[in-house]
Amino acid sequence: MVAALALVSLFVGVSDVSPAALLRGEPGAWELVAVSRGPRTTALVLAGVSLSIAGLIMQVLVRNRFVDPSTAGTVDSATLGLVVVMLFAPGLPLIAKAGVASLFALASTAVFLLLLSRMPLRSPVMVPLVGLMFGGVVGAAASFVAYRHDLVQSLLAWTTADFSGILRGRYELLWVAGGLAVVAWVVADRFTIAGLGAEVATGLGVDHRRVLMTGLVVVALVSAVVVTTAGVIPFLGLVVPNVVRLFLGDHVRRSIPWVALVGAGFVLVCDVLGRTLRHPYEIPLGVVVGVVGSVVFLVLLLKGSSRVG
Amino acid sequence: MESPMHLRRPRPTSVALATLALPAALALTACGGSEETATDAGGGATVTIETARGPVEVPQDPERVLTFDIGVLDTIDTLGGEVAGVPEFALPDYLSAYDDAPIIGSLFEPDFEAVAEIDPDLIIVTGRSLEAMPDLEELAPTIDLSVDESDYLGSVERNVRSLAAVLGEEDAAEQALADLEAEVEETRAAGAEAGTGLIVMTSAGEVSAYGAGSRFGLVHDALGVEPAVDIDSATHGEPVSFEFVAEADPDWLFVVDRDVAIGETSGESAEQVLDNALVARTTAWSQDQVVQLDPLAWYIVSGGLTATRTMVSDVADGIAS
């Protein structure tokens, strides 16, 4: 299914490329796939997989199904980090920019967890609310700095994911996010146990602190890398794990491959939509995912509220 | 009894009405020109000028003029007038006389306190600052000299004549407009022969395309370059992929580097963004027919008299080489 979607993504675009042309070995067609379609599809899959898994990890660690990097301030902080880079060291290479964004994302995720641990949380809905407010504050800070320095429209370039500019040589950083997703997969069981709480986890012989830190780093790095290379893809890390949970329950190791597949598939579908709805122009991926994702989010909230509330 | 309604402030319906009235006003706007009238109630001389909302009576030779548009500032400066304050923005070199002028807000938003302090006799707003017009009108006579992008040169001529009438510089204006027209005619002849063209703007590594009737449509509309593809006119352009550029395969590529226009030179330059295997497929790239347009003139100061002449000569020089 996802492989089929990836194939569709390879052959949808402004230029005409048909599988037949590839088989005939037309150099133009091969070049187009190597330079444009291939990288774009790969970038979409990497972003979809890693962000969805980051969302899942965050939900397990915070023990709340309504958080993800885009609703807990992580993404906003990464963006703030990028604005700060623009101000003080605009000449930094992409990887260093991603590094600074990661530090900001990491710090903010830590602050978010600290906030949660200090707060009496009577209802599970409080957690995403705190996250959204925290994200709002950080986002407002980023907007303010950007406004003061005429960077608002550049800020928009990051706050809406857009894959139209993805070409060979402009997405490779996303492999880092992909690699982190694999790391998360390997240590999936520990996340499940850490998700049971510090006492239980320690009782079961798991170093709760270390697992928590690993999770934090994965979530922060993935968010920062995706924001730096493509921009914010809202709701992705929230919607995908929840849809998978409806079918598979809370077992992290069992659901991770599905979360990865559904994440990749969802992003591919949205991007193909963005490329075809207004062909030959583009609708940025962030917009399409935002519209589709928020609807799914609402449905999940309404469906889940009876059980959660 | 106090109903909650009484506590609410009146809704700013005037803004909505003004917006509704705008297209009608634009349709009514003929070519530029002015008629002088005697005096207003205050005793100062007034003059009736054409604006984007039709004829308006304004004070003649006002002492303190403010504008939030660098294009209008350009025209006033070119005609030998001056303004009493400028929006906060890195001005082009030829307007450096205003580097230390009082700041009256941004291109979009007035700093009302700063405006009130200057106590202007006339305020000029355009597209970017249009929203503030109702509020500015409470401080001083305010006119709208927005540029109609589907008739760029027509709007420029109207604005130049209107500002000239305010400043009493009609002769200089007519001379400058005649020169401009001659340059346009000359370029149009060359443009029609040049082949197809595509206008793109790069911003933070992404590309959008602009067609006839858009903010950069001058290339096609008045200067005669045949569009490589039809692009619906949209002020902010259409986001496109590099494949779109490759497929359009223009003979000439006209490039506006937005990051340079707004003084954000940290990222990739337009040249770096476009230097890839897909753009390399176009005739424009392979024949070295890529024309870098002056970002400040095209993106920020457009509408101004000097900026418009720069825009025309950008295209003329580009396709001549």
Side-chain angles (χ1 to χ4, degrees):
Chain A
M1 172 72 176
V2 174
L5 281 171
L7 274 179
V8 171
S9 168
L10 274 183
F11 294 111
V12 170
V14 175
S15 306
D16 247 350
V17 187
S18 65
L22 285 184
L23 289 178
R24 282 198 303 275
E26 285 177 21
W30 277 106
E31 192 195 14
L32 193 81
V33 169
V35 172
S36 168
R37 297 294 167 74
R40 184 160 182 168
T41 305
T42 313
L44 287 165
V45 169
L46 287 173
V49 166
S50 56
L51 265 187
S52 304
I53 290 184
L56 175 70
I57 296 171
M58 203 152 181
Q59 285 151 29
V60 170
L61 291 180
V62 182
R63 286 194 279 171
N64 187 295
R65 67 181 62 174
F66 293 125
V67 294
D68 94 319
S70 69
T71 59
T74 312
V75 166
D76 302 275
S77 305
T79 316
L80 177 64
L82 287 175
V83 172
V84 170
V85 172
M86 290 292 286
L87 275 184
F88 294 109
L92 282 183
L94 198 61
I95 189 147
K97 283 184 183 161
V100 176
S102 304
L103 287 180
F104 272 78
L106 197 59
S108 96
T109 318
V111 171
F112 176 61
L113 288 182
L114 199 70
L115 275 178
L116 288 186
S117 67
R118 294 283 162 86
M119 236 173 236
L121 296 167
R122 284 186 204 88
S123 150
V125 183
M126 279 291 286
V127 177
L129 275 182
V130 171
L132 285 172
M133 279 191 280
F134 177 56
V137 172
V138 177
S143 298
F144 178 73
V145 176
Y147 177 80
R148 297 287 295 181
H149 295 90
D150 281 326
L151 296 171
V152 174
Q153 277 173 314
S154 307
L155 184 68
L156 278 178
W158 294 308
T159 45
T160 322
D162 187 349
F163 281 72
S164 65
I166 294 279
L167 286 179
R168 186 172 60 199
R170 298 210 182 148
Y171 79 102
E172 281 75 1
L173 200 58
L174 283 172
W175 284 108
V176 175
L180 288 164
V182 173
V183 171
W185 196 328
V186 172
V187 295
D189 284 337
R190 288 164 198 238
F191 288 132
T192 313
I193 296 173
L196 297 171
E199 289 94 22
V200 182
T202 314
L204 288 169
V206 167
D207 187 340
H208 183 258
R209 246 189 116 70
R210 217 172 74 192
V211 176
L212 200 64
M213 280 311 292
T214 315
L216 277 184
V217 170
V218 169
V219 170
L221 284 181
V222 165
S223 311
V225 165
V226 175
V227 171
T228 314
T229 39
V232 179
I233 309 179
F235 296 117
L236 183 66
L238 186 97
V239 167
V240 173
N242 275 297
V243 169
V244 172
R245 188 171 296 128
L246 285 180
F247 298 99
L248 288 177
D250 282 333
H251 194 301
V252 177
R253 178 176 281 289
R254 214 171 44 191
S255 45
I256 273 197
W258 288 100
V259 168
L261 282 178
V262 175
F266 183 60
V267 171
L268 284 171
V269 168
C270 287
D271 188 63
V272 168
L273 276 180
R275 267 185 279 175
T276 45
L277 285 178
R278 292 194 61 226
H279 186 85
Y281 315 122
E282 303 238 352
I283 304 175
L285 176 75
V287 175
V288 182
V289 175
V291 171
V292 181
S294 54
V295 171
V296 180
F297 182 35
L298 277 178
V299 171
L300 287 171
L301 265 182
L302 293 174
K303 244 180 111 97
S305 58
S306 52
R307 270 174 289 159
V308 171
Chain B
M1 197 180 88
E2 273 280 320
S3 108
M5 285 301 287
H6 290 122
L7 299 174
R8 289 208 193 129
R9 293 182 55 218
R11 293 183 53 216
T13 41
S14 56
V15 182
L17 284 177
T19 319
L20 282 175
L22 183 58
L26 284 175
L28 286 171
T29 308
C31 61
S34 64
E35 330 158 14
E36 284 176 41
T37 57
T39 52
D40 68 1
T46 66
V47 57
T48 303
I49 57 168
E50 287 293 336
T51 73
R53 303 178 182 211
V56 175
E57 193 178 331
V58 296
Q60 189 168 29
D61 214 358
E63 201 173 322
R64 288 176 302 277
V65 179
L66 292 183
T67 180
F68 295 90
D69 185 279
I70 318 252
V72 171
L73 168 60
D74 164 329
T75 302
I76 292 176
D77 184 74
T78 308
L79 292 175
E82 58 178 358
V83 299
V86 294
E88 188 167 19
F89 201 85
L91 296 171
D93 289 339
Y94 62 93
L95 294 174
S96 59
Y98 291 102
D99 281 348
D100 299 319
I103 299 292
I104 55 168
S106 72
L107 295 180
F108 299 87
E109 249 182 293
D111 175 346
F112 289 102
E113 280 179 36
V115 172
E117 192 158 321
I118 290 171
D119 187 21
D121 304 301
L122 179 66
I123 303 175
I124 302 157
V125 295
T126 59
R128 284 188 175 107
S129 46
L130 208 53
E131 231 173 89
M133 187 166 175
D135 294 322
L136 288 168
E137 274 174 327
E138 290 177 21
L139 296 173
T142 303
I143 56 170
D144 171 11
L145 291 187
S146 296
V147 167
D148 173 6
E149 272 144 9
S150 63
D151 180 21
Y152 176 81
L153 279 183
S155 302
V156 171
E157 281 172 27
R158 178 203 67 204
N159 287 354
V160 168
R161 292 208 168 96
S162 296
L163 290 168
V166 170
L167 301 168
E169 296 284 353
E170 284 93 338
D171 294 343
E174 291 309 322
Q175 182 59 47
L177 286 178
D179 290 350
L180 174 63
E181 198 163 320
E183 286 157 20
V184 169
E185 287 300 324
E186 204 174 307
T187 310
R188 184 173 12 228
E193 306 268 293
T196 62
L198 177 69
I199 315 161
V200 295
M201 181 168 82
T202 64
S203 176
E206 280 152 18
V207 180
S208 28
Y210 294 77
S214 73
R215 72 194 305 165
F216 306 137
L218 178 73
V219 174
H220 303 309
D221 301 330
L223 302 181
V225 177
E226 187 195 334
V229 277
D230 272 336
I231 298 165
D232 312 331
S233 66
T235 305
H236 283 278
E238 297 286 356
V240 294
S241 57
F242 295 108
E243 282 180 30
F244 179 93
V245 179
E247 201 66 10
D249 192 12
D251 297 326
W252 293 90
L253 198 54
F254 298 93
V255 183
V256 179
D257 191 335
R258 180 177 170 278
D259 296 334
V260 172
I262 58 169
E264 211 171 274
T265 47
S266 54
E268 286 179 301
S269 70
E271 216 166 352
Q272 288 170 310
V273 172
L274 293 171
D275 186 7
N276 61 60
L278 288 177
V279 177
R281 292 177 168 197
T282 59
T283 310
W285 195 269
S286 59
Q287 306 277 325
D288 209 8
Q289 299 187 339
V290 180
V291 182
Q292 301 284 346
L293 303 175
D294 181 331
L296 266 180
W298 287 78
Y299 189 72
I300 298 293
V301 202
S302 67
L305 184 51
T306 297
T308 303
R309 293 180 72 167
T310 306
M311 290 161 75
V312 174
S313 66
D314 268 357
V315 175
D317 297 349
I319 55 181
S321 59

